[in-house]
Amino acid sequence: MQELKPLALKEQVSNVIKSAEGYTVSWAGVLSNANPWHFGEHVVATIVGRDAAGTEVVRLDQPLDAVPPGGSLAFTGSAASAQRPAKVTIQYRPAQWRQAARIASAFQKFPITRVRTMRQKDGTYLITGYIDNPYRQPAGSLVINALLRDGNGKLIGGGSTFVDDVKAGSLPRFILTAGGMPNGSHVVKTEITASTWGSTGRPFEDLALGGAVPVHTTKPVTEPFAEDRSTQVINSHKQ
């Protein structure tokens, strides 16, 4: 039996800021799947915040979307707390593995274009862009995740939103707000990724099984050669 590698945590960050309700705990992270033939499914992140005395003041279980074969998953989240956590930890429930019907290269990324990141007066960031679907079938629901980085490339925060019924070539616009970062945070780079929504890889697999949209969709407008040039080369070589 093939031994599968566990999901690897590439990076994560958590922040605590004062809010109208008390405090807001926010987090962002990236999980990677080194297994080229299996989806990592039913992954749950458990976020726990404790005060200086070690007393638990916030706990949240966040079901994560499936991690594709040979791919990665970005995720973000937030929770309110009446008391300020002195320490925040994030733990992950091991994935359940399911063999995919296609090879890893069949699961193409969803193209993201024209991304704009705009700092707001309250210190949050408004992020806009457009998403495309490289597959023939419409994508029922996609999760858009934004990871924000400072000048050194360090992950400092993130945000997410949903876009429904994405058809190939339709290029719907997405808008999301990313906040929860400490005062003085300066975003230099924004990374946007999209994934199918749900704890299993079935929606992504269905898209891949339906096939990708051809790269070239228009017929050539030039006249065909009178004789195939490869034939000419072969004949001249024989002579």
Side-chain angles (χ1 to χ4, degrees):
M1 183 177 178
Q2 180 183 3
E3 184 176 350
L4 299 176
K5 299 178 181 178
L7 293 178
L9 178 64
K10 294 177 65 176
E11 54 187 336
Q12 70 179 25
V13 67
S14 61
N15 296 305
V16 180
I17 63 168
K18 191 75 174 68
S19 65
E21 297 78 18
Y23 297 91
T24 297
V25 181
S26 62
W27 58 89
V30 181
L31 291 171
S32 64
N33 178 6
N35 303 294
W37 287 100
H38 290 77
F39 277 99
E41 301 182 330
H42 303 291
V43 183
V44 177
T46 300
I47 295 85
V48 178
R50 300 180 184 275
D51 62 16
T55 303
E56 185 177 297
V57 295
V58 62
R59 171 181 285 267
L60 184 139
D61 287 333
Q62 180 186 15
L64 302 181
D65 300 307
V67 189
S72 62
L73 174 74
F75 63 94
T76 69
S78 64
S81 176
Q83 301 178 53
R84 181 182 180 86
K87 182 180 181 180
V88 177
T89 58
I90 308 176
Q91 297 180 330
Y92 302 88
R93 187 182 304 167
Q96 296 179 25
W97 299 105
R98 183 177 62 80
Q99 186 167 342
R102 299 292 301 274
I103 60 175
S105 60
F107 299 98
Q108 300 184 30
K109 294 181 179 180
F110 297 92
I112 306 289
T113 56
R114 290 181 280 171
V115 175
R116 294 187 64 194
T117 303
M118 296 159 282
R119 184 180 174 87
Q120 307 299 293
K121 292 181 179 179
D122 62 357
T124 62
Y125 286 83
L126 182 68
I127 302 165
T128 65
Y130 295 82
I131 183 170
D132 197 4
N133 177 5
Y135 301 99
R136 295 178 184 272
Q137 297 181 6
S141 187
L142 296 178
V143 186
I144 312 293
N145 283 296
L147 299 180
L148 307 182
R149 300 184 181 278
D150 63 14
N152 297 319
K154 182 182 178 181
L155 180 64
I156 58 176
S160 61
T161 189
F162 291 87
V163 180
D164 296 327
D165 192 27
V166 181
K167 300 180 178 65
S170 63
L171 294 177
R173 187 183 188 219
F174 62 83
I175 302 174
L176 65 90
T177 300
M181 292 168 286
N183 292 332
S185 298
H186 183 55
V187 174
V188 173
K189 183 180 180 181
T190 303
E191 294 178 1
I192 306 291
T193 58
S195 59
T196 52
W197 179 78
S199 60
T200 76
R202 293 292 185 187
F204 203 179
E205 193 169 55
D206 289 344
L207 290 174
L209 289 172
V213 175
V215 176
H216 302 291
T217 57
T218 57
K219 294 182 179 180
V221 294
T222 56
E223 291 294 327
F225 295 115
E227 184 177 358
D228 191 300
R229 287 185 173 180
S230 63
T231 304
Q232 294 177 357
V233 172
I234 292 173
N235 289 339
S236 62
H237 180 71
K238 288 180 178 179
Q239 293 173 2

